Amino acid sequence: MSRCKFAIFIDSMLFITMAAAMAMIFLYAPIESEMGIVQKIFYVHVPLAWNAFLGFAMVFYYSFRYLSTRNPRYDRRALSAAEVGVLFTTLVLITGPIWAKPVWGIWWTWDARLTLTLVLWLIYIGYLMLRRYIESPERRAVLAAVVGITGFIDVPLVYFAIRWWRTQHPQPVIAGGEGSGLDPAMAATLWVSVAAFTFLFLALFGRRLDVEVERSRRETERDAAEAAHAQGVRT
Amino acid sequence: MSWLIAAYSAVLLGIFFFVMRIRRLRRGLTPRDDRRSPRR
């Protein structure tokens, strides 16, 4: 499938699943008995968090591929995934406190899950800042790949924090073991929302990657033109 | 209800700003003469 057809497929699926997710969230999913309607933030907060993990897993994978092949295409993919991952983590860190204030009575607490998520965000903000400070493309790609790989250590820590330590953050409702679980209508809504946000992630990742590919193509053309000009001046 | 609207608005705004950033980056790549907007 060509890049254009793939983009059309992703955009179509994004439109269909996002429309279905919004309809299910507001028309189908029941209102939670204790928290009330504010619980519906859960249907965007959790998919955003899982797709942020997906983004950082992609940074990890492409950084590894870059270090083993030194092919700049993997560096471009790692950068694009990191940017969308940071966007999604930012939205997780905004929607979480908006849910917490009416439910817990506080915006934020320094528990393991929340603190590690903030650390994760700072790590990948650092990754993006590092890329801006280094001018040499090869050196920038290598150092960024090292940060992208080591930074990923925090992702499993964030995921397992609520299982390993006693936290203020709610206990897992998916894959949480005995005594946990979701109402079937809530679970169906969550999974459709996860699909919608996964397509949103892929659509944004593809758009961001297109810009990097175009930038690289123009830089190659410019370098070739400059080299040809220099050759012409010498002869 | 206002908390819910605040959360969903934040998500929409975040996505909007990211799409605008991509558009800005794309415009930055295009040489000035190639842009569709009329030159002064």
Side-chain angles (χ1 to χ4, degrees):
Chain A
M1 197 186 285
S2 69
R3 168 77 188 95
C4 187
K5 279 185 182 169
F6 186 68
I8 291 170
F9 169 74
I10 294 289
D11 289 354
S12 310
M13 291 305 292
L14 168 61
F15 182 77
I16 294 165
T17 52
M18 194 57 86
M22 289 304 130
M24 288 177 81
I25 290 168
F26 293 107
L27 305 174
Y28 174 67
I31 293 174
E32 210 267 346
S33 56
E34 286 180 24
M35 287 181 260
I37 201 160
V38 78
Q39 181 270 341
K40 288 181 189 279
I41 293 173
F42 165 84
Y43 301 114
V44 291
H45 180 77
V46 174
L48 281 168
W50 286 357
N51 280 291
F53 293 164
L54 170 70
F56 299 138
M58 285 166 70
V59 177
F60 176 82
Y61 172 75
Y62 288 128
S63 298
F64 198 78
R65 289 298 302 270
Y66 176 78
L67 290 181
S68 55
T69 63
R70 299 297 163 117
N71 185 335
R73 81 160 48 167
Y74 296 119
D75 181 54
R76 291 194 290 267
R77 291 178 187 178
L79 166 64
S80 306
E83 283 202 3
V84 187
V86 166
L87 168 71
F88 278 28
T89 311
T90 306
L91 296 176
V92 167
L93 288 170
I94 293 170
T95 53
I98 293 175
W99 171 88
K101 182 63 180 167
V103 176
W104 294 342
I106 48 170
W107 294 99
W108 182 266
T109 180
W110 296 99
D111 89 342
R113 168 58 78 87
L114 275 64
T115 308
L116 286 168
T117 307
L118 182 64
V119 169
L120 183 71
W121 185 75
L122 291 170
I123 287 171
Y124 285 94
I125 288 285
Y127 171 92
L128 296 176
M129 286 172 71
L130 175 80
R131 299 190 65 103
R132 291 201 162 212
Y133 291 141
I134 304 170
E135 283 199 17
S136 158
E138 290 81 21
R139 197 171 145 74
R140 176 173 60 217
V142 169
L143 286 175
V146 171
V147 174
I149 291 169
T150 50
F152 186 72
I153 294 168
D154 196 34
V155 170
L157 290 179
V158 171
Y159 183 78
F160 287 110
I162 51 176
R163 291 164 173 82
W164 290 345
W165 300 295
R166 186 187 293 269
T167 58
Q168 173 90 19
H169 188 280
Q171 291 301 297
V173 288
I174 301 289
E178 264 184 57
S180 75
L182 267 181
D183 174 271
M186 288 179 169
T189 307
L190 176 66
W191 288 116
V192 172
S193 189
V194 167
F197 278 89
T198 306
F199 284 116
L200 176 66
F201 177 92
L202 293 175
L204 294 176
F205 170 74
R207 295 283 192 292
R208 184 65 187 85
L209 184 58
D210 284 346
V211 173
E212 282 307 304
V213 171
E214 181 63 16
R215 187 206 301 273
S216 166
R217 192 180 67 78
R218 281 170 191 271
E219 279 174 3
T220 310
E221 278 176 7
R222 195 191 59 210
D223 291 349
E226 281 175 3
H229 179 71
Q231 190 108 25
V233 168
R234 268 204 299 275
T235 52
Chain B
M1 191 68 181
S2 57
W3 297 108
L4 191 67
I5 293 167
Y8 279 74
S9 304
V11 173
L12 269 178
L13 264 179
I15 295 163
F16 173 77
F17 278 120
F18 193 76
V19 171
M20 285 296 117
R21 175 178 148 69
I22 293 174
R23 283 170 64 97
R24 205 175 60 238
L25 287 172
R26 191 174 290 150
R27 274 182 75 85
L29 287 177
T30 312
R32 205 168 280 274
D33 291 350
D34 293 353
R35 290 183 192 165
R36 275 190 215 150
S37 55
R39 273 182 289 168
R40 287 180 192 173

